[in-house]
Amino acid sequence: MDVSGWLAEKALTTRSIARTPIWLYRHGLGPVFGGRMLMLEHVGRRSGRPRYVCLEVVSRPRRDRLVVVSGFGTGSQWYQNLQARPTCRVSIGRRRDVSAAARFLTDAESAEALTDYQRAHPRAWRHLRHAIERAVGHPVYSLPMVELDLGG
């Protein structure tokens, strides 16, 4: 595995590394990620408390619609929390705390978005896929995706 693949795997599996972008967003430094990453604020389905996760933007079907992927599948806490309560807040680039609504893509829509991402970012996909597969312990052929409507 090359250095960037190793870093991607560590970023996915080491909590302190994975949470660093959240700290940056919460301290007003989110713009360093540009439009490729966002911070999602969602509500814990059991606790009712705010929760945060940073996710890569897979596509932008329209100006105020962003598609994000759940690399750990439907078992991801943020994914399950959005299923319970699809309203959330998004920070991306210079935009902070924008109200949003989640829509879960169908399998066909997710497959199409993943294919488009693979074409647009082949190197990033190779590293990400390898990192996800090592983290979850099985091959990845499809990934669940969520479209966030920023109400534009």
Side-chain angles (χ1 to χ4, degrees):
M1 176 184 343
D2 65 9
V3 172
S4 59
W6 179 83
L7 285 173
E9 181 182 342
K10 288 297 175 194
L12 288 173
T13 59
T14 307
R15 183 173 171 82
S16 61
I17 295 171
R19 297 198 58 82
T20 298
I22 295 169
W23 185 90
L24 293 170
Y25 269 101
R26 293 178 85 181
H27 288 85
L29 299 172
V32 302
F33 297 109
R36 289 281 307 271
M37 185 180 283
L38 61 79
M39 182 176 73
L40 176 71
E41 179 184 340
H42 50 101
V43 176
R45 63 192 177 283
R46 292 189 189 113
S47 69
R49 296 177 57 193
R51 302 291 184 208
Y52 302 88
V53 65
C54 287
L55 303 164
E56 183 174 1
V57 175
V58 174
S59 71
R60 290 175 177 252
R62 288 191 282 227
R63 183 182 175 282
D64 283 334
R65 296 206 179 194
L66 310 168
V67 175
V68 294
V69 62
S70 181
F72 291 99
T74 58
S76 293
Q77 295 298 312
W78 69 266
Y79 191 91
Q80 291 181 21
N81 288 341
L82 286 180
Q83 285 181 316
R85 183 183 292 179
T87 57
C88 56
R89 301 190 71 72
V90 172
S91 294
I92 183 168
R94 297 195 184 285
R95 298 176 73 181
R96 295 182 71 179
D97 298 320
V98 179
S99 293
R103 180 182 74 84
F104 296 85
L105 272 58
T106 65
D107 290 344
E109 290 172 318
S110 292
E112 182 179 347
L114 187 58
T115 298
D116 291 346
Y117 179 83
Q118 291 168 352
R119 283 190 199 118
H121 308 285
R123 186 168 181 235
W125 169 244
R126 277 193 308 275
H127 294 302
L128 182 61
R129 180 179 184 175
H130 182 73
I132 291 170
E133 287 177 347
R134 286 189 50 100
V136 299
H138 58 77
V140 172
Y141 301 108
S142 65
L143 294 167
M145 298 199 191
V146 176
E147 182 181 74
L148 300 169
D149 181 353
L150 279 56

